[in-house]
Amino acid sequence: MFARNTSKRKGEITIKTVLITGASRGIGSAVACAFAEKGYSIIINYNRSKNKAKALASELSDKFKVGCKTVKADVSSPDEVRAMFSETGYVDVLINNAGISNQRLFTDITDEEWKRTIGVNLDGVFYCCREALPHMILQKSGVIINISSMWGEVGASCEVHYSASKAGVIGLTKALAKEVAPSGIRVNCIAPGVIMTDMMSDFDKETLDELVKETPLGRLGTPQDIASAALFLASDSASFITGQTLGVNGGLII
Ligand code: NAP
């Protein structure tokens, strides 16, 4: 039996709620699974993959006997994010995971691609934090975990728009952590390395083999590697950690 993640309020046991953006697939889906196993009530945000999100929700509620709902929102839209939070209500933990990437020579990036990448990867984090925080501030507790990228730390050739968006997420995390720490809220980043999801589907075997060779721990990452880091950052074991960027990359960048 898994341990329920609970908090006490006015003598009552309350199950904590986590909202994960982009949880229909990949890393977000593994994060949802890990938090469900710990007894959290789960809110799965999706944009396009409705069937996958619904299937995951029913799998998690059957397997772990937790509350699990799905909510559609394009995180780059402030109106859709506002509507999502009106529908879901308060959350104790927010995980900003939704993201997109594409490879382009810098001089080929169109205005539309630039705006869309910043819109989903950075504006989306801003909109979701803005909706989640008022309740966290009232209850004087809360955890926000933003999924950045190692490319936000060191920059990736042919992914300038992606790298800029992810560097922005790190900056947002540091500044917001300082601002809301007095309200008992912690804000941290995870910067994944190469994690095998649909996002890596454009990479051929030769490139992936090369990346394994370059990774000191000798393998590529899994979505579960990121989920474990998120569980740690959300837990009381991380109660003195805020404003940090936790690299989960097998040593690829140190
Ligand atoms: P993925 O498999 O492509 O999944 C992306 C997820 O984001 C999907 O659930 C998708 O939902 C959601 N999403 C995309 N646009 C959205 C939008 N506008 N609104 C709401 N949700 C949206 O990617 P992943 O590898 O799991 O990536 C998850 C996060 O980790 C991203 O922020 C990514 O930048 C970061 N990351 C990944 C890697 C890696 O190697 N995989 C490395 C570093 C960082 P729908 O399908 O429902 O639209």
Side-chain angles (χ1 to χ4, degrees):
M1 192 63 185
F2 48 88
R4 291 224 160 249
N5 198 297
T6 56
S7 62
K8 276 194 173 182
R9 280 186 211 137
K10 293 182 184 161
E12 289 171 15
I13 299 287
T14 312
I15 305 284
K16 285 190 181 174
T17 298
V18 57
L19 187 156
I20 305 136
T21 66
S24 51
R25 298 183 282 118
I27 291 171
S29 151
V31 171
C33 193
F35 278 72
E37 190 171 0
K38 289 290 178 197
Y40 281 81
S41 192
I42 311 291
I43 302 166
I44 294 169
N45 157 256
Y46 66 93
N47 186 32
R48 293 186 175 154
S49 305
K50 181 179 180 178
N51 293 343
K52 286 188 178 166
K54 298 271 178 208
L56 178 66
S58 80
E59 183 196 328
L60 297 185
S61 55
D62 286 354
K63 193 167 171 190
F64 300 116
K65 310 295 175 223
V66 292
C68 202
K69 50 181 160 181
T70 59
V71 55
K72 189 216 168 305
D74 177 341
V75 295
S76 70
S77 157
D79 291 343
E80 290 190 30
V81 169
R82 205 170 295 120
M84 171 167 75
F85 277 85
S86 306
E87 191 180 329
T88 60
Y90 306 140
V91 301
D92 301 290
V93 179
L94 167 66
I95 302 184
N96 286 304
N97 165 77
I100 54 170
S101 68
N102 63 356
Q103 299 219 312
R104 289 280 182 277
L105 282 174
F106 178 69
T107 46
D108 289 344
I109 297 172
T110 64
D111 292 0
E112 182 49 39
E113 285 167 339
W114 176 268
K115 283 182 189 153
R116 184 71 189 152
T117 304
I118 301 291
V120 175
N121 295 0
L122 180 56
D123 298 352
V125 176
F126 165 54
Y127 299 142
C128 290
C129 290
R130 189 171 60 178
E131 296 303 320
L133 274 168
H135 172 68
M136 291 181 176
I137 290 166
L138 266 183
Q139 70 175 9
K140 287 207 159 290
S141 72
V143 172
I144 296 174
I145 299 167
N146 297 323
I147 308 298
S148 176
S149 164
M150 67 176 173
W151 301 129
E153 299 180 280
V154 297
S157 166
C158 296
E159 289 191 77
V160 170
H161 47 346
Y162 181 77
S163 303
S165 71
K166 293 298 186 178
V169 169
I170 294 172
L172 181 156
T173 300
K174 290 180 179 179
L176 186 60
K178 286 182 183 170
E179 186 168 325
V180 298
S183 297
I185 300 159
R186 297 186 295 105
V187 189
N188 287 293
C189 259
I190 295 173
V194 182
I195 310 297
M196 287 315 294
T197 66
D198 296 344
M199 195 171 267
M200 295 302 296
S201 58
D202 286 347
F203 289 70
D204 58 27
K205 187 173 175 320
E206 203 185 341
T207 310
L208 293 175
D209 288 347
E210 203 49 50
L211 283 165
V212 172
K213 273 193 208 146
E214 285 172 26
T215 304
L217 283 177
R219 68 170 174 89
L220 301 178
T222 66
Q224 290 72 26
D225 290 322
I226 307 306
S228 302
L231 264 184
F232 165 67
L233 286 175
S235 74
D236 289 343
S237 302
S239 63
F240 201 48
I241 301 178
T242 199
Q244 303 304 307
T245 301
L246 177 57
V248 182
N249 59 40
L252 189 53
I253 65 151
I254 292 179

